Amino acid sequence: MREIDKVYIDICKNILKNGEIIYDSQGRTIEDTKEIRNYQFTIHNPKQNILSVRNLSYNYLCGELSWYMSGSNDLKYISQFGSLWNKMTDDGKTVNSAYGDIIFNRHNFNQLETIINLLKTDKNSRRAVININVPNKEVITTHDEPCTICLQFLIRDEKLHLTAMMRSNDIWFGLPYDIVFFTCLQQIIADKLNIECGTYTHFATSLHMYLRDEDKIREVIKKHSQNAKYIDALKLYNERSSIYTDINKDTFDKKETKKYFENKKILNDEEVYDENKNNKV
């Protein structure tokens, strides 16, 4: 079984068995969730980053990636792929927790390029941190607080390792898609530094599942790795502006986003290897 699929199945089993339902002082459930606190896992092949043991929405995945990579925070664009985003806005027009906008545009500099330059200057640096969640005076009232705290990159043993730190992470809707974007960033930075990717480690203070998703999560546990796909992160990054422009056209059918990514050779079938012979099947 592919490592990422095995890791995800282990997460599902763990949260079903050990997850705690959180109650308020009146004994009422909070958000109808099961939660595990301070959960961590590591993936040793971050290029194998798309789950095959559950049916991801590839139209959503590709739409979200194009949105992040463009640096946009436009609610109208991303809500065409997931209506949930309409609940995560304070002004009805923009999304504060749009990772691409935070990384590439906000704070008046490009965090990704800064991290690349930092690691070119000092490959042993422990300062290579992309900050996502920053001080927010509206934290009490906002509907739109980023779930990710930061991404830290370390070069060790001539490989680029990444640790993502989350304050909150839903294993059904959030986690599978977050991993893809974060590891794409890891691949982009590694390429710019001309080194290999190392491990991807994910830490969540509150890793949780919504009880409404329990039946779907139980079905995942029964699955085995199926035909999988991968994202060409470098091609996605290099063509991010034209991709966003194409998809943002009124004439573009958002249900065809997956097909568009496939035609552009950004979303591809994963090569399968015979582990015993180390050859492609």
Side-chain angles (χ1 to χ4, degrees):
M1 177 178 288
R2 299 163 71 244
E3 182 189 25
I4 188 172
D5 291 322
K6 183 179 184 303
V7 167
Y8 188 69
I9 286 174
D10 287 344
I11 291 169
C12 292
K13 288 179 177 178
N14 201 333
I15 205 163
L16 287 170
K17 181 179 179 180
N18 301 312
E20 297 180 358
I21 297 177
I22 311 303
Y23 299 93
D24 64 15
S25 57
Q26 280 75 47
R28 295 171 298 193
T29 60
I30 298 176
E31 293 188 312
D32 292 325
T33 62
K34 272 189 174 182
E35 174 189 72
I36 296 180
R37 295 186 297 280
N38 301 320
Y39 193 95
Q40 176 179 310
F41 63 85
T42 296
I43 295 171
H44 295 85
N45 181 5
K47 291 185 178 181
Q48 197 178 65
N49 57 7
I50 299 179
L51 289 171
S52 74
V53 289
R54 60 151 294 193
N55 295 324
L56 294 178
S57 169
Y58 281 103
N59 282 324
Y60 177 81
L61 174 66
C62 296
E64 184 181 74
L65 286 174
S66 68
W67 186 59
Y68 284 156
M69 287 297 182
S70 74
S72 172
N73 66 353
D74 181 37
L75 173 65
K76 181 180 178 182
Y77 182 93
I78 191 60
S79 64
Q80 296 174 91
F81 297 98
S83 60
L84 178 66
W85 287 98
N86 289 316
K87 301 177 181 178
M88 299 167 60
T89 177
D90 291 330
D91 63 8
K93 297 179 180 179
T94 60
V95 181
N96 178 61
S97 52
Y99 293 149
D101 179 48
I102 295 170
I103 294 171
F104 302 123
N105 301 323
R106 211 171 295 178
H107 314 300
N108 298 315
F109 75 105
N110 185 322
Q111 292 195 66
L112 185 75
E113 294 297 333
T114 301
I115 293 305
I116 292 169
N117 291 332
L118 169 62
L119 291 174
K120 284 181 178 179
T121 303
D122 178 9
K123 70 176 185 178
N124 298 314
S125 178
R126 293 183 289 268
R127 300 181 182 183
V129 176
I130 290 179
N131 288 290
I132 304 293
N133 194 308
V134 297
N136 180 6
K137 66 179 180 179
E138 307 297 336
V139 68
I140 297 174
T141 57
T142 184
H143 299 291
D144 191 10
E145 187 73 1
C147 293
T148 307
I149 298 171
C150 67
L151 307 172
Q152 182 170 4
F153 301 85
L154 282 173
I155 297 177
R156 296 293 183 266
D157 303 319
E158 299 301 320
K159 294 182 179 181
L160 182 70
H161 303 274
L162 168 58
T163 299
M165 284 161 265
M166 316 286 294
R167 65 169 182 83
S168 174
N169 216 193
D170 159 36
I171 71 168
W172 188 257
F173 186 75
L175 178 64
Y177 300 96
D178 289 337
I179 291 174
V180 178
F181 177 59
F182 297 157
T183 53
C184 279
L185 294 179
Q186 183 181 7
Q187 292 172 53
I188 292 164
I189 295 175
D191 180 75
K192 299 294 184 181
L193 299 174
N194 197 28
I195 60 176
E196 295 181 14
C197 286
T199 58
Y200 171 77
T201 299
H202 192 98
F203 176 87
T205 304
S206 170
L207 186 72
H208 53 269
M209 58 163 275
Y210 291 97
L211 298 182
R212 64 174 180 264
D213 296 324
E214 183 168 348
D215 289 342
K216 293 180 288 188
I217 290 168
R218 290 190 182 280
E219 283 300 312
V220 166
I221 293 173
K222 303 174 185 177
K223 298 288 183 66
H224 297 282
S225 295
Q226 304 171 47
N227 294 332
K229 293 184 178 291
Y230 73 95
I231 291 288
D232 187 329
L234 302 178
K235 189 173 178 64
L236 171 63
Y237 183 68
N238 291 335
E239 299 182 22
R240 61 193 183 278
S241 180
S242 62
I243 291 169
Y244 182 81
T245 299
D246 286 345
I247 296 176
N248 202 30
K249 293 176 181 176
D250 291 337
T251 55
F252 186 90
D253 185 351
K254 303 304 184 287
K255 295 179 181 178
E256 297 294 318
T257 308
K258 171 178 178 278
K259 185 176 180 180
Y260 172 83
F261 265 59
E262 289 174 332
N263 290 339
K264 298 275 287 185
K265 304 298 183 185
I266 293 172
L267 180 65
N268 304 287
D269 291 328
E270 186 176 282
E271 293 179 337
V272 178
Y273 287 83
D274 183 326
E275 295 179 357
N276 296 321
K277 297 181 180 179
N278 198 30
N279 293 320
K280 294 180 186 179
V281 175

